[in-house]
């Protein structure tokens, strides 16, 4: 049998749970100083800028200009369900290697910007990528896929951006699919949705996939740019999770 949970907007009466407010029932566990998400709250301080408006401006920057990367902090980290942690340097090299902006006409369709009620430096928003494969996808020096004309109808995904007190992006979590049954990419969002649209369908595209984890490690044996995650010595110290690429979540931070 299932378990039914009855929520009350008023939060009154025995057994009722409020869906509003900060934490009326005291359900939030005490923060762990060891968790890297606590580091990203910067000691409980408050930003002196509008996080939502700053995030909107950042998202609207054209990746081809390089201006978006100018806003990345020195200890910037990007993480997705299948890639990361990637440093500023490695993400830049990976983007230049794939050059997907030249191979696809992309509209990210961002909407629903909202600040995290538990971290004023963090902003969430949705994206629903639409794209057409109109150019050549280059995968390394020896393999490329000519334009197919295929159109990507990506699933809705959630992106979150954390700013530091200096107004630089320090952490970006991307391509977290809301409903994998939406769209025409078998639940794959962002870059993996683009590759699926181009015809690369051997990537399973979900965390914990043994096939994807093995493929990523084999690719890392080949010298050159285009990594799924950065070398250990280059990952900023604040990012403590040991999960890499398509690995499952680090149990030290998820149990």
């Amino acid at each position: 049998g299932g378990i039914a949970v009855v929520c009350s907007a008023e939060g009154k009466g025995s057994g009722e749970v409020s869906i509003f407010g900060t934490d009326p029932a005291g359900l939030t566990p005490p923060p762990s100083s060891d968790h890297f998400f606590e580091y990203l709250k910067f000691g409980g301080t408050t930003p002196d800028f509008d996080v939502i408006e700053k995030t909107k401006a950042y998202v609207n920057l054209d990746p081809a200009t390089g201006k978006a990367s100018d806003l990345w902090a020195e200890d910037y980290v990007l993480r997705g369900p299948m890639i990361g942690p990637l440093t500023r340097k490695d993400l830049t090299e990976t983007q230049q290697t794939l050059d997907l902006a030249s191979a696809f006409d992309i509209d990210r369709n961002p909407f629903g910007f909202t600040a995290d009620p538990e971290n004023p430096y963090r902003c969430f928003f949705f994206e629903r990528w639409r794209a057409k494969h109109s150019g050549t996808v280059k995968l390394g020096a020896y393999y490329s896929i000519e334009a197919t004309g295929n159109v990507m109808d990506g699933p809705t995904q959630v992106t979150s951006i954390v700013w530091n007190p200096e107004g630089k992006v320090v952490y970006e979590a991307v391509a977290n699919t809301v409903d994998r049954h939406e769209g025409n990419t078998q639940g794959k969002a962002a870059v993996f949705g683009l590759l699926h649209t181009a015809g690369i369908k051997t990537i399973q595209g979900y965390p914990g996939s043994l096939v994807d984890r093995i493929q990523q490690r084999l690719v890392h044996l080949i010298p050159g740019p285009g990594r799924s995650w950065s070398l250990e010595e280059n990952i900023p110290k604040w990012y403590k999770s040991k999960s890499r690429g398509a690995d499952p979540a680090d149990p030290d931070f998820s149990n």
Side-chain angles (χ1 to χ4, degrees), residues 33-112:
S33 59
D34 292 333
H35 201 297
F36 59 92
F37 270 94
E38 289 304 311
Y39 166 81
L40 294 173
K41 294 179 181 178
F42 301 104
T45 59
T46 302
D48 59 4
F49 49 85
D50 187 320
V51 169
I52 292 179
E53 292 305 315
K54 199 169 181 68
T55 301
K56 288 179 179 179
Y58 171 71
V59 173
N60 285 331
L61 291 174
D62 183 353
T65 65
K67 291 182 179 179
S69 59
D70 290 343
L71 289 175
W72 296 344
E74 289 300 320
D75 56 349
Y76 169 91
V77 169
L78 179 135
R79 189 65 164 102
M82 298 292 296
I83 60 169
L86 280 169
T87 64
R88 172 177 175 165
K89 176 178 179 293
D90 288 332
L91 179 58
T92 299
E93 290 181 352
T94 298
Q95 290 177 334
Q96 292 173 346
T97 298
L98 292 176
D99 194 19
L100 294 177
S102 296
F104 291 87
D105 301 315
I106 304 172
D107 192 342
R108 292 171 58 181
N109 295 302
F111 64 98

Side-chain angles (χ1 to χ4, degrees), residues 4-201:
V5 178
V6 179
C7 295
S8 166
E10 297 296 329
K12 298 177 181 178
S14 176
E16 294 183 344
V17 179
S18 172
I19 60 173
F20 301 110
T22 54
D23 188 18
L27 298 178
T28 302
S32 168
S33 59
D34 292 333
H35 201 297
F36 59 92
F37 270 94
E38 289 304 311
Y39 166 81
L40 294 173
K41 294 179 181 178
F42 301 104
T45 59
T46 302
D48 59 4
F49 49 85
D50 187 320
V51 169
I52 292 179
E53 292 305 315
K54 199 169 181 68
T55 301
K56 288 179 179 179
Y58 171 71
V59 173
N60 285 331
L61 291 174
D62 183 353
T65 65
K67 291 182 179 179
S69 59
D70 290 343
L71 289 175
W72 296 344
E74 289 300 320
D75 56 349
Y76 169 91
V77 169
L78 179 135
R79 189 65 164 102
M82 298 292 296
I83 60 169
L86 280 169
T87 64
R88 172 177 175 165
K89 176 178 179 293
D90 288 332
L91 179 58
T92 299
E93 290 181 352
T94 298
Q95 290 177 334
Q96 292 173 346
T97 298
L98 292 176
D99 194 19
L100 294 177
S102 296
F104 291 87
D105 301 315
I106 304 172
D107 192 342
R108 292 171 58 181
N109 295 302
F111 64 98
F113 290 79
T114 184
D116 184 348
E118 295 187 0
N119 183 356
Y121 289 96
R122 191 182 193 190
C123 181
F124 295 96
F125 60 95
F126 297 98
E127 297 183 70
R128 188 178 286 130
W129 284 30
R130 301 287 188 266
K132 182 177 181 179
H133 181 205
S134 55
T136 303
V137 176
K138 299 177 183 178
L139 299 172
Y142 307 105
Y143 183 59
S144 63
I145 304 173
E146 298 300 320
T148 62
N150 293 340
V151 175
M152 171 186 173
D153 177 17
T156 303
Q157 64 189 61
V158 177
T159 302
S160 75
I161 290 176
V162 181
W163 300 85
N164 65 18
E166 290 72 44
K168 297 285 189 177
V169 179
V170 65
Y171 182 58
E172 193 163 358
V174 301
N176 292 287
T177 302
V178 173
D179 188 338
R180 62 187 174 87
H181 303 286
E182 182 184 11
N184 64 359
T185 61
Q186 297 182 358
K188 301 168 190 173
V191 169
F192 288 95
L194 295 176
L195 295 177
H196 180 94
T197 301
I200 302 174
K201 301 183 179 181

